[in-house]
Amino acid sequence: MSNFAQRVLTALVGAAVVVAAVWLGGWVFAVLITAAALAAQVELYRLLAAAGTRPLVGLGLVLGAVAVLWPWIPGAGLVLAGGLLALLPAVLFLRRETPLLDIAGTVFGVFYPAGLASSVLILRLSDAPWLGAAGAFWVTVTVLFCIWGADSFAYLAGRSFGRTPLFERVSPKKTWEGAVGGVVGAFGLAAAFKLAIVGSVLSWPDVLVIAVACGILSPFGDLTESLFKRSVGVKDSATWLPGHGGLLDRIDATIVAVPVIALYLEVTRGLL
């Protein structure tokens, strides 16, 4: 099977699994997002290890799980604070040679990707009166499809019209023309969902914010992760997903775009 066919098949299966989990919601969706976030966190720790840092993986993953589920764990803030404090005696008694880097790397993994992934749960599991259960499902599906669609539209636009490098030092193939195509595609998808299904749950300013977040911020999430990989000389964060690499490769755009969208909706409408 060619790499392109593998990518398409993996994407279709993955999208079906994610949409099914979004539909089920509750702890099914929470477990899926937590598992994906922790797998991506392990991949990040491997990149850090390749860079010469030795993150405390076990403690980092426990704190990562709390960071993903913090809205639904009583006293999550205290747990995170206690865990972060525990890093201090840990590096002391483990006699780490690079304690500053080890602690910094461990904490970074708790924030990225784990902490950022919590925004997907906040969006889907919100009980805000203006949203409702059906609205939370459709808004989450809208955002995810806009992220996925923006990537495809950016690829097609870049292949057809791309001339100006977006960030040549990191990814010579990404172009500003492709980024514009991603924004246009994301806006079209968000508008289609609004007109066909979501209706008044999302306003037109909401549609615009979703399009900008998915079309502009998503590529920079992808570029940042590419920079991390390039710095340690690897192509993919892992090889779990045929044609795609690892979980971090797959969710790098999502964990940048969704937090911005969730923050916007929290400020303008209230999600928590």
Side-chain angles (χ1 to χ4, degrees):
M1 185 181 296
S2 67
N3 182 263
F4 177 76
Q6 286 183 334
R7 285 182 63 86
V8 172
L9 180 59
T10 301
L12 290 174
V13 172
V17 170
V18 171
V19 172
V22 175
W23 170 258
L24 293 171
W27 282 104
V28 173
F29 187 59
V31 168
L32 175 69
I33 295 301
T34 303
L38 294 184
Q41 188 179 354
V42 168
E43 294 171 13
L44 178 71
Y45 283 159
R46 288 176 179 172
L47 295 179
L48 287 167
T53 301
R54 298 173 58 199
L56 286 78
V57 177
L59 182 54
L61 291 177
V62 171
L63 295 177
V66 176
V68 177
L69 298 169
W70 69 264
W72 297 274
I73 297 180
L78 292 175
V79 175
L80 286 172
L84 294 176
L85 285 174
L87 290 172
L88 303 180
V91 295
L92 180 64
F93 285 103
L94 291 174
R95 297 183 180 181
R96 293 299 183 96
E97 296 177 355
T98 56
L100 284 174
L101 292 177
D102 297 348
I103 289 179
T106 304
V107 174
F108 182 60
V110 174
F111 170 74
Y112 173 99
L116 294 177
S118 67
S119 60
V120 185
L121 289 181
I122 292 172
L123 190 63
R124 173 61 184 95
L125 303 182
S126 173
D127 57 0
W130 67 271
L131 196 55
F137 167 73
W138 282 114
V139 169
T140 304
V141 169
T142 298
V143 170
L144 291 177
F145 269 83
C146 285
I147 292 171
W148 301 335
D151 182 61
S152 298
F153 279 108
Y155 174 78
L156 294 173
R159 285 287 298 270
S160 302
F161 312 108
R163 297 292 183 274
T164 312
L166 179 62
F167 215 101
E168 190 172 12
R169 179 169 60 88
V170 177
S171 182
K173 294 183 179 180
K174 289 187 183 297
T175 63
W176 281 105
E177 291 82 1
V180 171
V183 175
V184 173
F187 183 84
L189 285 170
F193 272 101
K194 172 178 169 54
L195 294 173
I197 302 172
V198 181
S200 61
V201 175
L202 290 178
S203 67
W204 285 110
D206 298 339
V207 169
L208 181 60
V209 170
I210 290 172
V212 170
C214 296
I216 293 182
L217 296 181
S218 291
F220 283 97
D222 179 66
L223 283 168
T224 302
E225 200 245 347
S226 295
L227 179 62
F228 294 159
K229 293 185 294 184
R230 183 182 290 269
S231 70
V232 295
V234 300
K235 181 178 182 294
D236 297 315
S237 61
T239 57
W240 299 348
L241 302 176
H244 289 268
L247 263 298
L248 189 58
D249 296 319
R250 189 62 262 168
I251 69 171
D252 53 7
T254 303
I255 59 175
V256 172
V258 178
V260 173
I261 295 168
L263 178 61
Y264 162 77
L265 292 175
E266 169 62 20
V267 171
T268 57
R269 308 280 194 87
L271 282 176
L272 295 171

PDB file of all heavy atoms in Angstrom, residues 202-218:
ATOM      1  N   LEU A 202     -24.089  29.024  16.694  1.00  0.00           N
ATOM      2  CA  LEU A 202     -22.889  29.758  16.320  1.00  0.00           C
ATOM      3  C   LEU A 202     -23.286  31.009  15.545  1.00  0.00           C
ATOM      4  O   LEU A 202     -24.074  30.935  14.605  1.00  0.00           O
ATOM      5  CB  LEU A 202     -21.961  28.899  15.458  1.00  0.00           C
ATOM      6  CG  LEU A 202     -21.242  27.728  16.140  1.00  0.00           C
ATOM      7  CD1 LEU A 202     -20.412  26.960  15.114  1.00  0.00           C
ATOM      8  CD2 LEU A 202     -20.363  28.206  17.279  1.00  0.00           C
ATOM      9  N   SER A 203     -22.721  32.139  15.934  1.00  0.00           N
ATOM     10  CA  SER A 203     -22.944  33.381  15.199  1.00  0.00           C
ATOM     11  C   SER A 203     -21.938  33.476  14.059  1.00  0.00           C
ATOM     12  O   SER A 203     -20.971  32.699  13.994  1.00  0.00           O
ATOM     13  CB  SER A 203     -22.798  34.583  16.134  1.00  0.00           C
ATOM     14  OG  SER A 203     -21.449  34.699  16.572  1.00  0.00           O
ATOM     15  N   TRP A 204     -22.117  34.452  13.175  1.00  0.00           N
ATOM     16  CA  TRP A 204     -21.154  34.629  12.085  1.00  0.00           C
ATOM     17  C   TRP A 204     -19.790  35.052  12.595  1.00  0.00           C
ATOM     18  O   TRP A 204     -18.761  34.605  12.052  1.00  0.00           O
ATOM     19  CB  TRP A 204     -21.704  35.595  11.044  1.00  0.00           C
ATOM     20  CG  TRP A 204     -22.755  34.951  10.195  1.00  0.00           C
ATOM     21  CD1 TRP A 204     -24.095  35.203  10.198  1.00  0.00           C
ATOM     22  CD2 TRP A 204     -22.556  33.898   9.235  1.00  0.00           C
ATOM     23  NE1 TRP A 204     -24.747  34.383   9.310  1.00  0.00           N
ATOM     24  CE2 TRP A 204     -23.827  33.577   8.698  1.00  0.00           C
ATOM     25  CE3 TRP A 204     -21.437  33.204   8.771  1.00  0.00           C
ATOM     26  CZ2 TRP A 204     -24.000  32.597   7.725  1.00  0.00           C
ATOM     27  CZ3 TRP A 204     -21.608  32.218   7.810  1.00  0.00           C
ATOM     28  CH2 TRP A 204     -22.867  31.924   7.291  1.00  0.00           C
ATOM     29  N   PRO A 205     -19.704  35.900  13.637  1.00  0.00           N
ATOM     30  CA  PRO A 205     -18.365  36.144  14.220  1.00  0.00           C
ATOM     31  C   PRO A 205     -17.724  34.860  14.754  1.00  0.00           C
ATOM     32  O   PRO A 205     -16.504  34.691  14.645  1.00  0.00           O
ATOM     33  CB  PRO A 205     -18.656  37.136  15.346  1.00  0.00           C
ATOM     34  CG  PRO A 205     -19.867  37.874  14.887  1.00  0.00           C
ATOM     35  CD  PRO A 205     -20.698  36.837  14.189  1.00  0.00           C
ATOM     36  N   ASP A 206     -18.541  33.948  15.328  1.00  0.00           N
ATOM     37  CA  ASP A 206     -18.009  32.662  15.782  1.00  0.00           C
ATOM     38  C   ASP A 206     -17.409  31.893  14.611  1.00  0.00           C
ATOM     39  O   ASP A 206     -16.326  31.299  14.722  1.00  0.00           O
ATOM     40  CB  ASP A 206     -19.106  31.817  16.440  1.00  0.00           C
ATOM     41  CG  ASP A 206     -19.690  32.455  17.672  1.00  0.00           C
ATOM     42  OD1 ASP A 206     -19.029  33.323  18.271  1.00  0.00           O
ATOM     43  OD2 ASP A 206     -20.825  32.079  18.047  1.00  0.00           O
ATOM     44  N   VAL A 207     -18.138  31.891  13.497  1.00  0.00           N
ATOM     45  CA  VAL A 207     -17.668  31.189  12.298  1.00  0.00           C
ATOM     46  C   VAL A 207     -16.331  31.755  11.835  1.00  0.00           C
ATOM     47  O   VAL A 207     -15.406  31.010  11.479  1.00  0.00           O
ATOM     48  CB  VAL A 207     -18.711  31.291  11.166  1.00  0.00           C
ATOM     49  CG1 VAL A 207     -18.136  30.795   9.838  1.00  0.00           C
ATOM     50  CG2 VAL A 207     -19.958  30.488  11.529  1.00  0.00           C
ATOM     51  N   LEU A 208     -16.205  33.078  11.863  1.00  0.00           N
ATOM     52  CA  LEU A 208     -14.963  33.720  11.434  1.00  0.00           C
ATOM     53  C   LEU A 208     -13.807  33.352  12.360  1.00  0.00           C
ATOM     54  O   LEU A 208     -12.696  33.048  11.899  1.00  0.00           O
ATOM     55  CB  LEU A 208     -15.144  35.231  11.399  1.00  0.00           C
ATOM     56  CG  LEU A 208     -13.921  36.045  10.948  1.00  0.00           C
ATOM     57  CD1 LEU A 208     -13.505  35.651   9.533  1.00  0.00           C
ATOM     58  CD2 LEU A 208     -14.214  37.540  11.027  1.00  0.00           C
ATOM     59  N   VAL A 209     -14.053  33.371  13.680  1.00  0.00           N
ATOM     60  CA  VAL A 209     -12.998  33.025  14.640  1.00  0.00           C
ATOM     61  C   VAL A 209     -12.562  31.570  14.450  1.00  0.00           C
ATOM     62  O   VAL A 209     -11.361  31.261  14.470  1.00  0.00           O
ATOM     63  CB  VAL A 209     -13.486  33.262  16.086  1.00  0.00           C
ATOM     64  CG1 VAL A 209     -12.495  32.665  17.092  1.00  0.00           C
ATOM     65  CG2 VAL A 209     -13.661  34.752  16.350  1.00  0.00           C
ATOM     66  N   ILE A 210     -13.515  30.680  14.253  1.00  0.00           N
ATOM     67  CA  ILE A 210     -13.189  29.270  14.024  1.00  0.00           C
ATOM     68  C   ILE A 210     -12.340  29.119  12.768  1.00  0.00           C
ATOM     69  O   ILE A 210     -11.342  28.382  12.746  1.00  0.00           O
ATOM     70  CB  ILE A 210     -14.478  28.423  13.925  1.00  0.00           C
ATOM     71  CG1 ILE A 210     -15.155  28.332  15.290  1.00  0.00           C
ATOM     72  CG2 ILE A 210     -14.171  27.021  13.395  1.00  0.00           C
ATOM     73  CD1 ILE A 210     -16.533  27.692  15.256  1.00  0.00           C
ATOM     74  N   ALA A 211     -12.722  29.836  11.697  1.00  0.00           N
ATOM     75  CA  ALA A 211     -11.976  29.742  10.440  1.00  0.00           C
ATOM     76  C   ALA A 211     -10.548  30.241  10.605  1.00  0.00           C
ATOM     77  O   ALA A 211      -9.599  29.616  10.120  1.00  0.00           O
ATOM     78  CB  ALA A 211     -12.700  30.546   9.356  1.00  0.00           C
ATOM     79  N   VAL A 212     -10.375  31.366  11.285  1.00  0.00           N
ATOM     80  CA  VAL A 212      -9.039  31.925  11.479  1.00  0.00           C
ATOM     81  C   VAL A 212      -8.191  31.002  12.356  1.00  0.00           C
ATOM     82  O   VAL A 212      -7.019  30.736  12.061  1.00  0.00           O
ATOM     83  CB  VAL A 212      -9.125  33.331  12.100  1.00  0.00           C
ATOM     84  CG1 VAL A 212      -7.740  33.815  12.526  1.00  0.00           C
ATOM     85  CG2 VAL A 212      -9.742  34.304  11.112  1.00  0.00           C
ATOM     86  N   ALA A 213      -8.794  30.495  13.448  1.00  0.00           N
ATOM     87  CA  ALA A 213      -8.052  29.603  14.346  1.00  0.00           C
ATOM     88  C   ALA A 213      -7.630  28.329  13.623  1.00  0.00           C
ATOM     89  O   ALA A 213      -6.489  27.869  13.763  1.00  0.00           O
ATOM     90  CB  ALA A 213      -8.901  29.265  15.569  1.00  0.00           C
ATOM     91  N   CYS A 214      -8.551  27.764  12.846  1.00  0.00           N
ATOM     92  CA  CYS A 214      -8.245  26.504  12.161  1.00  0.00           C
ATOM     93  C   CYS A 214      -7.347  26.717  10.951  1.00  0.00           C
ATOM     94  O   CYS A 214      -6.499  25.875  10.646  1.00  0.00           O
ATOM     95  CB  CYS A 214      -9.546  25.824  11.715  1.00  0.00           C
ATOM     96  SG  CYS A 214     -10.621  25.333  13.078  1.00  0.00           S
ATOM     97  N   GLY A 215      -7.519  27.839  10.256  1.00  0.00           N
ATOM     98  CA  GLY A 215      -6.770  28.057   9.035  1.00  0.00           C
ATOM     99  C   GLY A 215      -5.406  28.690   9.224  1.00  0.00           C
ATOM    100  O   GLY A 215      -4.497  28.447   8.430  1.00  0.00           O
ATOM    101  N   ILE A 216      -5.250  29.508  10.273  1.00  0.00           N
ATOM    102  CA  ILE A 216      -3.980  30.209  10.478  1.00  0.00           C
ATOM    103  C   ILE A 216      -3.180  29.625  11.636  1.00  0.00           C
ATOM    104  O   ILE A 216      -1.983  29.372  11.516  1.00  0.00           O
ATOM    105  CB  ILE A 216      -4.221  31.712  10.713  1.00  0.00           C
ATOM    106  CG1 ILE A 216      -4.765  32.356   9.432  1.00  0.00           C
ATOM    107  CG2 ILE A 216      -2.924  32.405  11.146  1.00  0.00           C
ATOM    108  CD1 ILE A 216      -4.997  33.834   9.537  1.00  0.00           C
ATOM    109  N   LEU A 217      -3.845  29.407  12.777  1.00  0.00           N
ATOM    110  CA  LEU A 217      -3.115  28.909  13.946  1.00  0.00           C
ATOM    111  C   LEU A 217      -2.706  27.447  13.791  1.00  0.00           C
ATOM    112  O   LEU A 217      -1.635  27.050  14.239  1.00  0.00           O
ATOM    113  CB  LEU A 217      -3.963  29.087  15.205  1.00  0.00           C
ATOM    114  CG  LEU A 217      -4.282  30.531  15.592  1.00  0.00           C
ATOM    115  CD1 LEU A 217      -5.102  30.570  16.868  1.00  0.00           C
ATOM    116  CD2 LEU A 217      -3.005  31.343  15.766  1.00  0.00           C
ATOM    117  N   SER A 218      -3.565  26.649  13.157  1.00  0.00           N
ATOM    118  CA  SER A 218      -3.248  25.231  12.988  1.00  0.00           C
ATOM    119  C   SER A 218      -1.918  25.001  12.280  1.00  0.00           C
ATOM    120  O   SER A 218      -1.099  24.189  12.727  1.00  0.00           O
ATOM    121  CB  SER A 218      -4.373  24.516  12.231  1.00  0.00           C
ATOM    122  OG  SER A 218      -5.540  24.444  13.022  1.00  0.00           O
TER     123      SER A 218
END
